[in-house]
Amino acid sequence: MDAVGVVLGLVLLIGVGLLTLAVVGTVKAAKAMAAKVERHEANARRAVENVALKAKTYTKPGAQGQISATRLALRTSLDGTRLVLESSLAEDGQLAESLQLLARLDVHAAELDGELRILEREPDAGRIAAKLPELRERAERITHSAETMRWAAQDRMHRFAEDELTRLSKECESEAGALRHWDAAPRVPGAAGSSAGGSGSAPVDGSGAGAGSGAGTQGRAGLPAGPGGPGAEELLGLGDPLSRLAQRLRKPSTGPSAG
């Protein structure tokens, strides 16, 4: 019985632990979902307000239009700076300090936007004309500070991208040079000599062949061909005997006469 009680106690504890974890997880998920919904709702509300301010800028002349333009410029500058800083935070951790400064600017911008909203509803035109220049000057200071950080962040991103591109270009050029560097085919030591000897012996062979062909031509020149040359009968001694005797009598005598 004791063992069964211990097992039941352990099962109960495990069940309670699992139930607690499930409840905690559900609460956290609900809070995260509520925060996400609230954030999207705030963004949607801000987008609607920006559209309304833009419409008032063009539709309401005078001080009312100037107030709307000031509020719209203030919001647009802060939102653009926040977008640039948050998008580059993953690549550059130093922008976290810029985001902290932007958060402090958001506090001043929220206070100023509230004052401008109150002034927008002010029925006294003299009060509006007296307060508006001061509020616009504060808005310009906040806008200038936000724009300075945004431009600096953009220049920093451009500089990093340029340095990375320069480094990458050098690496690509080095790799291209390595790919073009190949060794010539290995040469056999006697290949040059044999090729030189072969090239030198070629004229000798040609001249010998020419001489041989010339000698063969001269060797066969004893049998002249052509219509003006002697015939084969004369060369063989089968010609006319009288003509042969006449030729012998025409030869001059080389010794003294017998007479």
Side-chain angles (χ1 to χ4, degrees):
M1 296 296 293
D2 294 337
V4 175
V6 172
V7 171
L8 290 177
L10 291 176
V11 171
L12 183 61
L13 289 176
I14 293 173
V16 172
L18 292 176
L19 182 61
T20 304
L21 291 176
V23 171
V24 171
T26 303
V27 172
K28 287 184 177 181
K31 288 183 178 180
M33 183 63 66
K36 186 175 181 180
V37 171
E38 184 178 359
R39 184 168 59 252
H40 284 292
E41 183 180 357
N43 292 334
R45 188 186 305 110
R46 191 176 183 86
V48 173
E49 290 178 356
N50 291 340
V51 173
L53 289 175
K54 184 178 295 186
K56 291 180 181 179
T57 301
Y58 293 104
T59 57
K60 290 186 177 182
Q64 298 293 331
Q66 294 179 4
I67 294 174
S68 299
T70 302
R71 292 180 61 192
L72 181 62
L74 187 63
R75 293 185 174 203
T76 303
S77 178
L78 291 174
D79 292 342
T81 303
R82 185 181 301 103
L83 180 62
V84 171
L85 296 179
E86 289 179 351
S87 62
S88 304
L89 182 60
E91 300 177 357
D92 189 0
Q94 191 173 354
L95 296 179
E97 299 179 0
S98 301
L99 281 172
Q100 293 177 359
L101 293 176
L102 183 64
R104 294 170 61 184
L105 280 177
D106 281 335
V107 175
H108 290 279
E111 293 178 357
L112 179 59
D113 187 74
E115 293 180 14
L116 288 171
R117 186 183 293 110
I118 294 174
L119 187 64
E120 189 177 11
R121 300 171 184 173
E122 176 64 38
D124 188 359
R127 176 71 175 175
I128 295 176
K131 294 288 296 183
L132 183 58
E134 177 187 356
L135 298 179
R136 291 183 64 181
E137 191 269 337
R138 287 172 56 190
E140 289 177 357
R141 291 172 58 186
I142 296 175
T143 302
H144 178 69
S145 299
E147 289 177 348
T148 301
M149 286 195 299
R150 183 174 71 250
W151 295 336
Q154 291 174 349
D155 293 342
R156 183 181 179 86
M157 292 168 55
H158 177 73
R159 179 61 181 272
F160 284 170
E162 186 69 23
D163 294 342
E164 180 65 21
L165 181 59
T166 302
R167 191 181 308 109
L168 182 59
S169 300
K170 292 181 180 179
E171 292 179 0
C172 291
E173 291 177 359
S174 301
E175 182 65 19
L179 292 176
R180 289 193 180 97
H181 181 69
W182 55 78
D183 294 331
R187 298 180 179 178
V188 181
S194 61
S195 61
S199 61
S201 61
V204 176
D205 295 342
S207 61
S213 62
T217 305
Q218 293 177 0
R220 291 192 298 272
L223 296 176
E233 296 178 353
E234 295 180 358
L235 294 174
L236 296 176
L238 299 179
D240 188 3
L242 295 178
S243 60
R244 292 174 62 190
L245 181 60
Q247 290 177 1
R248 289 179 182 178
L249 291 176
R250 290 191 189 99
K251 291 180 180 181
S253 59
T254 56
S257 63

